[in-house]
Amino acid sequence: MSKQPVAVVGVGQTKHVAARQDVSIAGLVREAAVRALADAELGWADIDAVVIGKAPDFFEGVMMPELYLAEALGAVGKPMLRVHTAGSVGGSTALVAANLVAAGVHGTVLTVAFEKQSESNAMWGLSLPIPFQQPLTAGAGGFFAPHVRAYMRRTGAPDTVGSLVAFKDRRNALKNPYAHLHEHDLTLERVQSSPMLWDPIRYSETCPSSDGACALVLTGARGAARAPRPPAWVHGGAMRSEPTIFAGKDYVSPQAGRDCAADVYRQAGVTDPRRQLDVVEMYVPFSWYEPMWLENLGFADQGEGWKLVEAGVTELDGDLPVNPSGGVLSSNPIGASGMIRFAEAALQVRGLAGEHQIDGARRALGHAYGGGAQFFSMWLVGSDRPGS
Amino acid sequence: MTTAAELLAGIPELAGAEPVTRVTIPARLEYTYSPGSAQARFLTALPEKRLLAERCPQCTRVYVPPRGACPTCGIATPEQLELPHTGTVTTFCIVNIAAKGLDVEVPYCYAYVLLDGAHVGLHARIGDTPYADVRIGQRVEAVWDDRRLGPSLASISHFRPTGEPDADPESYRRWM
Amino acid sequence: MSSPAPSPVHSGARSGRDVAVVAFAQSSHTRRTDQLSEVELVMPVLHDVLKQTGLTANRIGFTCSGSSDYLAGRAFSFTMALDGVGAWPPISESHVEMDGAWALYEAWVKLQTGEADTALVYSYGKSSPGSVRDVLTRQLDPYTLAPLWPDSIALAALQAQALIDAGLTDERGLARTAVRSRRAATANPHAQLRGSADVEDLLRRPYEVEPLRRHDCPPISDGAAAVILAAGDAARALHANPAWIRGIDHRIEAHQPGVRDLTESPSTRLAAAAAGAFDAPLDAAELHAPFTAQEIVLRRALDLDDRVPVNPSGGPLAANPVMAAGLIRLGEAAALIHRGEAGRVLAHATSGPCLQQNLVAVLESSAGGTR
């Protein structure tokens, strides 16, 4: 049984902001979906199934919200699936949708991911008082900061590297009209003098809390041939998971991330990702994760990721631009953040990324991770149909 | 996109009405959590100032607190052993931001302490020392809070330096 | 139901790769499991299905689970259950915040792509930590319905009353369904409620929410279930009598109960048509109808008459671990085929208030239906 080729023909997202008080949750997801359909020049009747993802239900205080969203997403009478794989969910959701097309189960699928963090309190959702559990002492930052320190210790990276990434991503965000943070006055000095929240992580090196949604329209070869704009073709996609906590876990460069990337490269026929990929959208909620993931994803040797950052390789005009959209550091509607990475990768190879377009991008990686750096989902998209 | 205000403007009866942008809906649900049998054994030993770990019969890794299953082998870990109250800091951060609902004064040092004989780090605070002195490889010991002894990790107030020389990195490198 | 069976919509649900259920295990469902964490509840059923097939976790091509954070009362609850799988070296894995029946669907899709030949599917639900009747109100439209706290029994009562008002059943008919289910469960060692008083006795008891009495409602259960799927030759190698999934499809309806005709289940009927349920006679059906009246709705949607045994396991009226009860229907249907007791069985799972979302699968032995 051979897989059917899968193409991204529609991409939509909302303007990510701290609080979208003008729309309900239904209004938010529909806005992204309508934009994705408009990009594909398709209507609701053209959609065979809907796959939706978001992070924990406690973030909005709605259990299984897809039930309430059936009408808003035109799913009545159709199959609707709800994915939840922690922070990687936006990516996993897109992959589940892609598999529906690849398997030949459906012709055209709409996939949506969202988070409306302003409707509840995400920090509260993350830290419900479980009396006997080891407390997640200070939210996600407190969880990840020790691993950043372990990376610095292991590689000897100078402590300015994190600020370089943050400054780059925030400047990139100025070119992306959908990004949450548009900090026109930010300087590198301001990043480096921002408050130390979870030493060694500074305030300006952390992601914001956003309301936002992202949607994609996925279809097969026939749908792609009818698409009004160039499609992005899925050349490879994979998910990998490892346990939350285990003896010998490498929090700095988790094996699941390495395996996931290797699987995607194998599917796509990529043997030298640094040379063969034109742009990367990776999930970097704290700036130090850029050098960490550069190593984990095979773009740099162990211990060398920070050198690529220092040399400007990951800048918009570098030879491996990372997060031209501004990344998670500039917009973080948690459940949607992974899908936004996948969507931005697709926009790049379609040549539709606007001001943050990388000229001539033909192959791009979209990456997401979640949980205790344990769940990974990635896809590699290209401007050419696979095998052509 | 049509805005809420534009929609309202189209309905004469609602002319001039303020759009509803927020409704607050309190919800309260109560849950009684079950730690499970493995964690229960660990918790009930804490008031006696004992740290009970469990060893996987297959990979022989020692987990504290026990998780109910060896996460890499997917099997129960019935063999119990008691661990000493000393260990090594494998990594840490200094938290300068107060978490909502957490009764801890900032700044504080949040660390992974690899108890001697264990293969996973215990999440703990480091105290009784300037934070600038906290380092990876530092040797520490548990300080019990006699007023809060009970079936909870709050029985351990924090860990403090023992004053021993730092641990050999080889002793904890694989378990960072 | 008077309308003709709808013709299957464009869907590949009945073509593609042959995939079968080759193992099924479930816990003995109980009202409370205070001594067990979720991983301790799940692990025995995982070990059971692995043992049945002789597989190990790292030889499984894909793993998918279904569970709910709201039921557990904590965010990311599924990450703890993953410890029971032994996900090392790292595995290809996913999770749905839905009943495990939809996890099985995701796994079936994965096998259809050809990227995996075997899949482990599991789900679990501990209803005991909270009040499940209140927890389920959080599934409703957060702006207009959830603030009113209409609980799951009240919503099911609305549906039952609509059915009675339409002359499609009566309280006696509902009681007969309860008696039949719980008496069937006497043969099921995993069931929670086994045996029943007779119809006359039940009808003398007080209403829970009129017109529903306690016997019309499911028990509150803690439980877990696991299934192994395999494709083609892998399935034949792992079981002498694989339960082939001949068709599987699922559909959702509008959320607002007020815009639906609660006496009908068009989403079940659409899914059943797409799964090929109407193409040949069935030997049995396992229906995920937690309330007696919902079985009546589903029977009508599926054109099931009294000749087709429904819920020989006792069904969700005998044990209802939320998030696992749908997967258990698929497992029980497969087990009938594994044991050679049936050749063609329909399995159904539901989600949401008043049967809002429904999944239908048709499972067959290699020989097909026996009648």
Side-chain angles (χ1 to χ4, degrees):
Chain A
M1 167 101 200
S2 63
K3 289 201 299 182
Q4 308 295 313
V6 181
V8 184
V9 295
V11 173
Q13 56 184 312
T14 59
K15 163 78 175 98
H16 310 295
V17 296
R20 276 295 298 269
Q21 296 204 357
D22 61 321
V23 288
S24 61
I25 296 172
L28 184 77
V29 295
R30 190 174 171 91
E31 193 173 299
V34 164
R35 287 176 180 166
L37 288 171
D39 182 15
E41 291 183 16
L42 293 175
W44 295 103
D46 298 310
I47 298 299
D48 297 325
V50 177
V51 185
I52 184 167
K54 68 172 293 324
D57 290 358
F58 285 107
F59 283 2
E60 283 83 11
V62 186
M63 178 183 186
M64 300 160 75
E66 64 280 4
L67 294 165
Y68 136 75
L69 294 171
E71 289 103 314
L73 290 173
V76 173
K78 296 174 184 173
M80 189 174 196
L81 270 169
R82 157 71 193 287
V83 181
H84 174 19
T85 60
S88 67
V89 66
S92 310
T93 304
L95 290 176
V96 171
N99 275 344
L100 283 166
V101 176
V105 173
H106 293 302
T108 303
V109 177
L110 171 70
T111 183
V112 187
F114 77 97
E115 208 71 64
K116 200 156 186 285
Q117 295 201 60
S118 69
E119 301 245 342
S120 182
N121 184 322
M123 282 288 268
W124 169 84
L126 277 173
S127 53
L128 296 181
I130 315 286
F132 43 80
Q133 262 190 4
Q134 305 201 61
L136 192 63
T137 322
F143 180 82
F144 290 111
H147 309 315
V148 167
R149 183 180 303 279
Y151 174 76
M152 295 165 80
R153 160 87 169 219
R154 191 186 287 188
T155 63
D159 55 16
T160 51
V161 169
S163 63
L164 298 177
V165 173
F167 184 54
K168 166 186 69 89
D169 282 6
R170 298 279 160 65
R171 270 182 303 147
N172 290 351
L174 297 176
K175 296 179 185 293
N176 176 3
Y178 296 106
H180 175 176
L181 297 184
H182 283 149
E183 298 180 315
H184 294 276
D185 301 329
L186 194 69
T187 61
L188 184 59
E189 292 68 36
R190 282 197 198 173
V191 174
Q192 291 176 344
S193 60
S194 66
M196 193 64 96
L197 297 188
W198 302 281
D199 192 345
I201 298 180
R202 290 182 185 278
Y203 172 75
S204 289
E205 298 169 349
T206 67
C207 55
S209 168
S210 317
D211 282 1
C214 182
L216 302 171
V217 177
L218 304 177
T219 190
R222 272 189 306 165
R226 286 197 300 264
R229 277 174 274 278
W233 294 94
V234 179
H235 288 224
M239 293 187 236
R240 281 296 183 285
S241 308
E242 65 184 42
T244 317
I245 292 171
F246 64 93
K249 181 179 173 89
D250 186 348
Y251 284 99
V252 171
S253 186
Q255 181 76 40
R258 287 197 298 253
D259 290 1
C260 191
D263 190 359
V264 169
Y265 297 150
R266 179 189 56 75
Q267 292 174 36
V270 165
T271 50
D272 182 354
R274 169 80 196 279
R275 305 270 166 260
Q276 290 175 274
L277 286 175
D278 300 313
V279 54
V280 182
E281 279 282 343
M282 62 170 74
Y283 199 109
V284 177
F286 302 99
S287 58
W288 277 96
Y289 271 85
E290 179 175 303
M292 290 161 73
W293 293 144
L294 283 170
E295 296 172 28
N296 189 248
L297 298 175
F299 295 111
D301 289 336
Q302 288 255 340
E304 305 282 310
W306 63 271
K307 293 178 185 169
L308 297 193
V309 175
E310 263 201 341
V313 169
T314 61
E315 299 271 350
L316 217 47
D317 58 359
D319 69 32
L320 185 72
V322 172
N323 292 333
S325 68
V328 179
L329 281 171
S330 305
S331 316
N332 188 30
I334 301 175
S337 288
M339 190 175 286
I340 296 169
R341 307 279 72 70
F342 279 43
E344 288 286 349
L347 286 173
Q348 288 289 348
V349 300
R350 296 174 74 202
L352 298 175
E355 264 197 83
H356 60 284
Q357 175 69 45
I358 304 302
D359 279 345
R362 302 183 66 80
R363 271 195 276 212
L365 183 72
H367 160 271
Y369 86 105
Q374 65 182 127
F375 301 118
F376 292 82
S377 59
M378 302 177 204
W379 81 6
L380 199 156
V381 285
S383 50
D384 297 330
R385 186 173 159 168
S388 67
Chain B
M1 286 277 151
T2 313
T3 66
E6 286 163 356
L7 281 171
L8 287 175
I11 306 169
E13 292 81 357
L14 294 177
E18 285 290 312
V20 176
T21 59
R22 207 160 193 82
V23 285
T24 303
I25 301 157
R28 182 179 179 82
L29 294 169
E30 291 192 7
Y31 294 91
T32 307
Y33 299 108
S34 303
S37 52
Q39 279 204 81
R41 288 191 288 271
F42 170 78
L43 293 166
T44 50
L46 287 172
E48 303 160 15
K49 300 188 182 179
R50 293 165 60 225
L51 292 168
L52 269 194
E54 292 189 1
R55 192 195 315 268
C56 174
Q58 194 166 303
C59 68
T60 72
R61 301 288 183 251
V62 172
Y63 281 86
V64 63
R67 302 176 61 80
C70 171
T72 54
C73 301
I75 56 174
T77 52
E79 187 200 337
Q80 289 150 55
L81 64 158
E82 199 172 329
L83 294 183
H85 301 178
T86 51
T88 301
V89 174
T90 56
T91 190
F92 66 96
C93 70
I94 310 297
V95 180
N96 292 315
I97 178 175
K100 210 173 177 175
L102 192 77
D103 181 24
V104 181
E105 273 186 44
V106 294
Y108 62 91
C109 176
Y110 168 64
Y112 283 42
V113 173
L114 186 68
L115 290 173
D116 296 334
H119 296 113
V120 286
L122 193 68
H123 300 210
R125 284 190 298 135
I126 306 295
D128 300 339
T129 181
Y131 295 140
D133 291 350
V134 178
R135 58 197 178 271
I136 293 172
Q138 193 168 28
R139 295 285 298 158
V140 291
E141 64 187 357
V143 178
W144 297 82
D145 186 341
D146 285 322
R147 293 161 305 149
R148 297 173 77 179
L149 282 184
S152 151
L153 280 162
S155 298
I156 298 175
S157 158
H158 59 275
F159 280 74
R160 69 178 169 216
T162 61
E164 297 167 80
D166 284 2
D168 175 4
E170 279 307 301
S171 70
Y172 58 85
R173 189 181 52 81
R174 288 183 64 198
W175 319 115
M176 282 182 77
Chain C
M1 195 173 274
S2 52
S3 63
S7 57
V9 292
H10 168 71
S11 165
R14 282 192 286 162
S15 55
R17 215 171 172 210
D18 286 337
V19 169
V21 176
V22 294
F24 166 57
Q26 61 183 313
S27 58
S28 289
H29 312 296
T30 57
R31 175 64 184 84
R32 313 197 69 84
T33 48
D34 292 343
Q35 73 287 8
L36 298 178
S37 65
E38 273 138 349
V39 65
E40 289 169 342
L41 178 66
V42 167
M43 205 162 37
V45 299
L46 297 175
H47 292 178
D48 194 336
V49 289
L50 290 172
K51 193 174 165 204
Q52 287 177 39
T53 53
L55 291 168
T56 51
N58 55 18
R59 286 178 57 208
I60 297 278
F62 182 65
T63 299
C64 196
S65 61
S67 66
S68 163
D69 280 351
Y70 253 91
L71 197 65
R74 62 169 102 173
F76 305 117
S77 57
F78 64 94
T79 66
M80 312 293 283
L82 187 62
D83 281 356
V85 174
W88 190 256
I91 60 172
S92 176
E93 190 257 356
S94 184
H95 173 264
V96 295
E97 194 80 353
M98 306 179 83
D99 187 285
W102 278 267
L104 183 145
Y105 181 80
E106 186 183 328
W108 175 84
V109 171
K110 183 78 175 180
L111 297 198
Q112 291 301 319
T113 66
E115 288 173 357
D117 293 327
T118 53
L120 171 64
V121 178
Y122 65 94
S123 65
Y124 60 92
K126 280 188 74 161
S127 302
S128 59
S131 162
V132 69
R133 195 169 162 172
D134 294 325
V135 168
L136 289 173
T137 64
R138 302 300 92 193
Q139 281 186 339
L140 302 169
D141 179 325
Y143 309 104
T144 63
L145 278 176
L148 307 174
W149 293 84
D151 71 48
S152 49
I153 299 180
L155 287 168
L158 278 179
Q159 188 167 31
Q161 191 61 54
L163 215 56
I164 291 170
D165 289 348
L168 297 168
T169 189
D170 54 22
E171 292 177 20
R172 180 170 301 273
L174 299 183
R176 274 200 298 269
T177 299
V179 170
R180 192 208 72 238
S181 295
R182 299 209 173 102
R183 288 188 176 161
T186 53
N188 177 0
H190 301 284
Q192 183 178 345
L193 298 182
R194 283 177 264 171
S196 169
D198 63 28
V199 169
E200 297 307 325
D201 191 3
L202 292 180
L203 287 175
R204 281 193 290 272
R205 296 181 188 179
Y207 290 116
E208 189 77 26
V209 178
E210 195 176 345
L212 299 180
R213 295 179 173 81
R214 193 158 190 177
H215 63 255
D216 295 307
C217 306
I220 296 172
S221 315
D222 288 359
V227 156
I228 288 180
L229 298 183
D233 289 342
R236 283 180 277 272
L238 291 169
H239 202 289
N241 203 6
W244 299 103
I245 299 171
R246 291 297 182 214
I248 183 166
D249 195 281
H250 61 103
R251 302 292 162 134
I252 196 165
E253 294 178 32
H255 177 66
Q256 293 284 344
V259 305
R260 295 169 50 198
D261 177 350
L262 295 178
T263 66
E264 300 204 343
S265 184
S267 58
T268 299
R269 197 163 177 80
L270 271 174
F278 303 117
D279 296 356
L282 295 161
D283 297 337
E286 279 284 340
L287 305 184
H288 186 189
F291 295 89
T292 50
Q294 294 178 341
E295 183 182 307
I296 315 280
V297 175
L298 292 171
R299 280 176 174 271
R300 286 163 36 78
L302 294 167
D303 293 345
L304 294 175
D305 59 29
D306 288 340
R307 286 170 297 181
V308 179
V310 169
N311 290 344
S313 69
L317 284 166
N320 188 38
V322 176
M323 309 314 287
L327 179 62
I328 291 169
R329 304 282 70 76
L330 284 145
E332 291 283 8
L336 286 171
I337 291 165
H338 291 161
R339 294 194 299 261
E341 292 171 21
R344 182 174 156 88
V345 186
L346 181 146
H348 159 269
T350 196
S351 178
C354 302
L355 304 174
Q356 188 195 342
Q357 187 174 20
N358 296 283
L359 178 147
V360 174
V362 176
L363 285 78
E364 285 184 3
S365 69
S366 299
T370 55
R371 295 195 304 199

